[in-house]
Amino acid sequence: MKITIAGAGEVGKHLSKVLAFDAHDVTVIDVEEGELSNLSNHLDILTIKGSALSISILLEAKVSDCDLFIAVTHFPEMNVASSVLAKKLGAKKTIARVRDPQLLEEKNIKLFNEIGIDSIIYPQALAAREITKFVQETATREFFDFAEGLLSLYVLKIEEDSPVIGKYLHEIVALQEDLENFRIIMIKRDFSTMIPRGDDVCLPHDILYIISNKKGSKSMLETFGRKKFAVNNIMILGASRTGRATAKNLQNLFDVKLIEVNEARAKIIANELTNVLVINGDGRSTDLLVEEGIRNTDVFIATTGNSETNILSCYLAKSVGVKRTIAEVENFDYIALARDMGIDTVINKKTIAANSIHKYTLGEKTAITSSRYLTETEAQVLEIFIQPGMKITEQQLKFLDFPRGAVIGGVVRGKDAFIPKGNTQIKNSDKVLVFAMPNALNEVKKFFETDK
């Protein structure tokens, strides 16, 4: 696809990297020459210095011939206006990043569609939605549903006392029934990600990515020694847009406290969120956190605008016994650090925004119905609807030369979901989940191409 991105900020840079690696024809527009030079030096993309509101710049970027125009500058008004211009100039689809949650209301979305914007994204709302989901799924670091909930991806960290340490994977999932219901499909170890085989061994601090159907989830959690716990009290540090949206989502489900250092902002939030106890104070103070009951908190969520503060405050919360910590970390270099410090879940708005936008780049030829990048790994998850003529249906899986850097993690057939084995043969109208490393992605897609 031909894709034009307006804005070379953090979200724009991440999108450029993701889309360039997917072999799309990417053009990036920004007024900052330094940001553009950094991108062009590392990626095979075209960069244009100038304003996305300039018609001459948009024409230079050939938006009239682009399949997708994505506006993610720091200025919401510019994103909206440039998307409208791009659409009028001939862009097939347009996406604008906004910062006002009210714009996500159905009546406003309809208005945007009428003026030429196909989709709007609000990364903070998307992040809050994921945090809300992770709060309610207490036994895992992260949790994602696929195929309308028939398959789920669980992310678990192997602790020092885990019963699976030192065991081969074929020993861990030994029962035939379990083999059909859940499987470890990826392991994050130190700074590398691997697609495991049966003779691989689980080590302390490994992060496991496990696919399971509904039948296998309970057995899977028991196998890895994980238990759910009840959540009553939640403490949120930072009334950022993400923090406010999270508090709003959770306020009618749990007892929520929100700590904000800025007095004026704290007063505004207190009036907006009637079921949230808003406290004006510096959440970096151990005394304040103890005074406000952090020892009795079940889930601590740090959503200040500073990644370091979020990581350190979650580390403090963990050290005094908080069962679950969630940190918003925007600096990719700090994600591994947060993991090593014991933070349970890391939220990254850039990854979330990329996942939201990436579905618009999926071509019809491969029948990929959804795609997702995971926060702590470079692997991609593809949900694919099987159609006649695809190479993947020709033989049993064990006879296909499927790339080693990828694995078919799950299959949905009708209303049943199962984990495929070597003698499984994929059939038309199946829906499959594929986990692929970047270097295997192009080879993987060849198995799912159609003649359309």
Side-chain angles (χ1 to χ4, degrees), residues 140-333:
T140 66
R141 290 169 65 90
E142 296 182 53
F143 170 84
F144 306 101
D145 273 335
F146 296 93
E148 299 178 348
L150 293 175
L151 290 170
S152 298
L153 176 66
Y154 296 84
V155 185
L156 307 180
K157 183 178 180 180
I158 300 301
E159 305 293 349
E160 298 281 356
D161 58 351
S162 173
V164 301
I165 288 179
K167 290 187 177 182
Y168 293 107
L169 298 194
H170 64 76
E171 294 178 308
I172 295 173
V173 189
L175 298 178
Q176 189 67 26
E177 181 180 353
D178 287 342
L179 282 171
E180 295 179 353
N181 293 329
F182 71 88
R183 178 185 298 170
I184 303 170
I185 45 84
M186 280 194 311
I187 298 178
K188 176 76 174 182
R189 181 173 294 163
D190 297 326
F191 297 101
S192 62
T193 304
M194 64 178 181
I195 305 293
R197 302 296 184 234
D199 56 355
D200 285 312
V201 176
C202 280
L203 300 178
H205 311 300
D206 279 353
I207 294 177
L208 307 183
Y209 294 79
I210 306 171
I211 195 73
S212 174
N213 59 19
K214 291 181 178 180
K215 295 178 184 177
S217 59
K218 182 178 179 182
S219 176
M220 181 271 297
L221 292 174
E222 290 175 352
T223 298
F224 293 94
R226 305 303 295 263
K227 295 181 180 180
K228 296 183 179 182
F229 62 86
V231 175
N232 296 302
N233 301 313
I234 294 177
M235 184 178 290
I236 301 174
L237 176 63
S240 62
R241 290 185 178 89
T242 302
R244 297 199 300 271
T246 301
K248 184 177 182 180
N249 289 349
L250 297 174
Q251 64 178 342
N252 295 321
L253 302 173
F254 309 100
D255 291 329
V256 180
K257 287 183 179 180
L258 189 153
I259 300 175
E260 169 56 39
V261 67
N262 183 285
E263 183 177 0
R265 183 183 294 176
K267 289 181 179 178
I268 293 172
I269 302 305
N271 290 327
E272 289 180 358
L273 303 174
T274 55
N275 290 336
V276 174
L277 177 59
V278 180
I279 298 158
N280 174 221
D282 190 345
R284 295 171 297 182
S285 166
T286 305
D287 292 339
L288 175 67
L289 294 178
V290 171
E291 182 181 334
E292 294 302 333
I294 193 170
R295 296 184 190 278
N296 299 318
T297 297
D298 299 307
V299 181
F300 182 86
I301 306 167
T303 56
T304 73
N306 185 286
S307 296
E308 295 94 326
T309 297
N310 294 341
I311 293 171
L312 291 174
S313 59
C314 281
Y315 178 77
L316 171 62
K318 204 72 177 175
S319 69
V320 298
V322 175
K323 297 171 187 170
R324 186 170 179 81
T325 55
I326 301 174
E328 184 178 25
V329 179
E330 290 308 299
N331 189 327
F332 281 110
D333 295 334

Side-chain angles (χ1 to χ4, degrees), residues 115-155:
I115 64 175
I117 300 176
D118 296 288
S119 180
I120 57 174
I121 62 164
Y122 180 44
Q124 290 82 358
L126 296 173
R129 190 184 306 163
E130 295 225 336
I131 292 172
T132 302
K133 179 176 61 178
F134 297 153
V135 165
Q136 296 171 308
E137 184 59 48
T138 57
T140 66
R141 290 169 65 90
E142 296 182 53
F143 170 84
F144 306 101
D145 273 335
F146 296 93
E148 299 178 348
L150 293 175
L151 290 170
S152 298
L153 176 66
Y154 296 84
V155 185

Side-chain angles (χ1 to χ4, degrees), residues 22 363-368 382 384-394 402 428 432 434 440-452:
D22 279 356
E364 296 178 359
K365 191 177 180 182
T366 56
I368 299 173
L382 305 173
I384 306 174
F385 181 74
I386 305 303
Q387 299 180 11
M390 289 184 174
K391 183 179 178 181
I392 195 70
T393 64
E394 293 176 356
F402 204 68
N428 293 336
V432 302
V434 179
L441 196 57
N442 288 333
E443 289 300 313
V444 166
K445 289 182 177 179
K446 293 177 182 179
F447 282 84
F448 300 96
E449 292 178 348
T450 67
D451 295 331
K452 291 183 179 180

Side-chain angles (χ1 to χ4, degrees), residues 71-102:
V72 288
T73 74
H74 297 298
F75 308 102
E77 298 83 0
M78 178 179 288
N79 295 336
V80 171
S82 63
S83 295
V84 172
L85 283 174
K87 190 75 168 188
K88 294 296 183 182
L89 289 171
K92 293 183 178 65
K93 289 185 178 180
T94 60
I95 301 174
R97 175 191 180 187
V98 299
R99 289 181 181 171
D100 184 352
Q102 291 183 343

